[in-house]
Amino acid sequence: MPASPSTARAINDRLALRLLQDEGPLTAGRLKTLTGLSRPTVADLVERLQDSGLVHVVGESGAERRGPNARLYAIVADRAHLAALDVRTRGVSLVVADLLGRTLAEATLPIEPETGTEPAVEQVVALLERTAKEAGAERLHSVGIGAPGLIDPASGELRDTAGLPAWHRELVRVLASRLPTAVLVENETNLAAVAEQRLGAARGQDTFVLLWLGHGIGAAVVLDGELRRGASGGAGEIGFLPVPGTGRLPSATDCEGGFHELVHAGAVSRLAAAHGRPGSAEEAVRDADGPFLDALAERLAIGAAGVVAVLDPGLIVLGGELGHAGGQLLAARVQRALAALTPLATEVRPSELGDGAVLSGALLTARDAAQDDLFAPKA
């Protein structure tokens, strides 16, 4: 059935807004070309978007040619302000941005392990308030949060997980209760995958797996363009994957004996020391070559082979601190070692966004939520 006039207008408006977001300021003539709409239709939608406060004139185009200059239209970036938080075991990083996702202010805050739950939460909330004020944001429209642990698929809340600070879960609850805004929480590895797909190493890929390599081990699964979280939100908990070379099996409460035992940061440090490369895991991987990197790649390929056998993703991105530090040298070695373990062709790439991928993914999530709300047709 043909769309009603109001539905058609809503579709056209949303298309124009997406083009203005992706392409930057455009003239009405350029919008006509990109949308394929008629000149009167484009004129009507530009007027509607201006009246709604979503679009404004930012300049003129055509000074180099004869005739009247054409007005340049752009999204009103300060129509809404967003925040994104990367919540780690020992601290928080956050940014405040405009509707286009441009960073206006940013801050970091270390949280000492002995800090109590309530003081830790209040410190983070105060930091967010100060940073928003610095950015000139009177009100935050959407807040995206990336945190380690499982997200309950029914409630969307961060689940209580052994081994993680209690202030993580309490922070999400407090922000949701205090802020008159949408607070969106997602597993950190999943957000890293969102960012790599849209901005980094997995651009243009509908199906891939991101392996998060750091103090913790995890994976994010994107299949046919959709992030897959699993029935309980636990898709990608590959630290628990039983693998050879550990001497025992993992349990329901302990991932020692699983893939985690082979490749978490402490294990990588020990492997590096055994090859005469003392120091932190990240330093060892960043400057590595030769036998150590080969040995690490063989360990990583063991876990990757299990993922490939089940999902056949075609692409694996090595993320987290260690994946980014290893760069192309490590990725090439993992791809070679993986090819010896599976007949399924799989490319391995290093993260392009590194440690900033979680924050970027959280900001993209907040921006999408704000735009879905503001760009939606109004009754």
Side-chain angles (χ1 to χ4, degrees):
M1 295 178 62
S4 67
S6 61
T7 300
R9 285 194 297 270
I11 293 171
N12 293 340
D13 290 355
R14 199 172 181 89
L15 173 59
L17 286 164
R18 291 300 180 192
L19 288 169
L20 289 168
Q21 173 190 291
D22 296 339
E23 304 289 336
L26 296 171
T27 65
R30 185 61 179 154
L31 279 171
K32 173 182 177 297
T33 300
L34 293 173
T35 61
L37 300 171
S38 68
R39 189 177 300 277
T41 299
V42 169
D44 287 343
L45 75 83
V46 167
E47 183 177 357
R48 279 196 306 275
L49 295 177
Q50 284 184 286
D51 291 343
S52 67
L54 288 172
V55 165
H56 61 163
V57 177
V58 294
E60 293 183 338
S61 175
E64 71 285 351
R65 58 174 175 78
R66 292 183 177 181
N69 295 341
R71 292 178 175 180
L72 279 169
Y73 298 95
I75 291 175
V76 180
D78 61 0
R79 174 66 186 274
H81 290 97
L82 325 166
L85 287 79
D86 179 2
V87 179
R88 301 293 179 94
T89 303
R90 297 188 177 181
V92 172
S93 299
L94 65 86
V95 299
V96 176
D98 62 23
L99 184 57
L100 294 176
R102 295 181 301 207
T103 296
L104 303 176
E106 54 191 327
T108 59
L109 176 70
I111 302 291
E112 298 299 329
E114 63 272 14
T115 305
T117 296
E118 185 175 347
V121 169
E122 292 303 323
Q123 288 177 34
V124 177
V125 172
L127 180 69
L128 177 58
E129 291 173 345
R130 289 196 304 271
T131 308
K133 184 177 181 180
E134 179 186 339
E138 295 182 3
R139 178 184 180 275
L140 295 172
H141 185 286
S142 304
V143 177
I145 302 175
L150 302 181
I151 309 301
D152 189 313
S155 66
E157 296 178 349
L158 186 65
R159 289 168 55 179
D160 192 10
T161 305
L164 294 175
W167 63 265
H168 284 192
R169 191 166 187 268
E170 184 66 8
L171 173 64
V172 175
R173 188 193 67 77
V174 168
L175 288 176
S177 64
R178 291 191 189 178
L179 296 178
T181 185
V183 176
L184 312 161
V185 61
E186 180 59 89
N187 173 267
E188 59 179 353
T189 305
N190 286 345
L191 288 180
V194 168
E196 292 288 353
Q197 183 182 34
R198 292 171 60 175
L199 305 173
R203 280 190 301 271
Q205 300 292 320
D206 286 338
T207 297
F208 71 99
V209 168
L210 181 138
L211 294 186
W212 183 270
L213 309 172
H215 294 287
I217 303 300
V221 178
V222 177
L223 300 177
D224 300 323
E226 295 291 332
L227 184 65
R228 306 294 182 176
R229 297 174 177 85
S232 64
E237 288 294 318
I238 61 168
F240 288 88
L241 183 70
V243 293
T246 63
R248 66 187 182 96
L249 293 174
S251 71
T253 58
D254 185 1
C255 59
E256 290 300 323
F259 185 49
H260 170 89
E261 184 177 325
L262 292 183
V263 294
H264 72 87
V268 173
S269 292
R270 291 191 290 273
L271 180 65
H275 284 83
R277 307 182 67 89
S280 72
E282 191 172 347
E283 291 170 345
V285 172
R286 179 175 290 111
D287 301 327
D289 57 15
F292 162 63
L293 211 58
D294 288 335
L296 176 58
E298 289 173 2
R299 289 189 178 190
L300 291 171
I302 291 172
V307 172
V308 169
V310 175
L311 299 176
D312 187 19
L315 171 65
I316 289 178
V317 176
L318 302 183
E321 299 91 341
L322 302 186
H324 186 246
Q328 186 57 44
L329 286 177
L330 178 60
R333 282 170 164 81
V334 173
Q335 182 170 322
R336 184 166 60 246
L338 184 59
L341 300 178
T342 174
L344 305 177
T346 308
E347 182 181 1
V348 181
R349 299 177 188 171
S351 160
E352 290 184 11
L353 304 178
D355 205 34
V358 176
L359 203 55
S360 293
L363 184 55
L364 285 168
T365 300
R367 192 187 76 182
D368 288 348
Q371 292 184 350
D372 283 345
D373 176 36
L374 295 172
F375 295 180
K378 304 304 183 214

